[in-house]
Amino acid sequence: MKSGLRFAKALLAALIVICAAQPALAQQNRGHVYLLRGLANVFSLGMDDLAAKMNGRGIVATVHEYGQWQQLADAAAAESRATGNSPIVIVGHSLGADAAIEMAERLTALGVPPKLVVTFDPVGVTQVGRAQGYFVNYYQSTNGYGKRLTAGSGFRGNIVNRNLDAIGSIDHFNIEKSPRLHDEVITQVRSITNKPKPKPKPAAPAAPAAPTAEPSSPGTQAAAKPGAPG
């Protein structure tokens, strides 16, 4: 019951954000970014920070518990269809990254695949199955949690693995809080949601009207054409 109430509140918050962002959305293609927190809904607060940055730039972004991924997939598919197949983006950390992959697979099965999926240190789901989209995986193989993503049977998309082992200041519990990675993700999202609308083709110029001969006045002879006998 409490989970259902939280989900209803999250959807209401999403609608409020969408309404508030309408002036910005008029300048870009509509879309929605779903950010999924990890364990216990308290260890991935970098998702909240990233969502705030996106909303500040006119990108509609909402944060959710990873366990809601199936309900979110259904709601995202319905919203995308209702808004002219607007793009769907999923971002998740830890167990939220696992859920992001599962959500992408469900959306693909529903016929509305995500455009972009960003994962921070997935821990259990490391193979992307029957899904479409562009997947970017930020992970560390040395922190005891993060995993590399691989393509499974039926996958039709692209996977880019970004190994961050060399960055000692990052670990599993703060990888999703990195300002530098936030900037990269926002750039990727904006490339999808901020594409300029194609300019309308200019109208074909109207054909010039044929000249109309003025009627001759009574008693006046029309001028002779050049070269014609007078």
Side-chain angles (χ1 to χ4, degrees), residues 162-214:
R162 292 283 307 279
N163 189 323
L164 305 178
D165 287 351
I167 305 179
S169 60
I170 288 179
D171 58 32
H172 180 72
F173 298 99
N174 67 12
I175 188 172
E176 93 294 355
K177 299 176 179 68
S178 167
R180 192 184 84 179
L181 299 183
H182 284 186
D183 289 343
E184 287 189 17
V185 173
I186 290 171
T187 297
Q188 294 164 19
V189 171
R190 293 188 74 174
S191 71
I192 293 172
T193 62
N194 200 32
K195 291 180 179 178
K197 295 181 179 180
K199 295 181 179 179
K201 294 182 179 180
T212 303
E214 295 184 2

Side-chain angles (χ1 to χ4, degrees), residues 210-225:
T212 303
E214 295 184 2
S216 301
S217 300
T220 303
Q221 185 179 358
K225 294 182 180 179

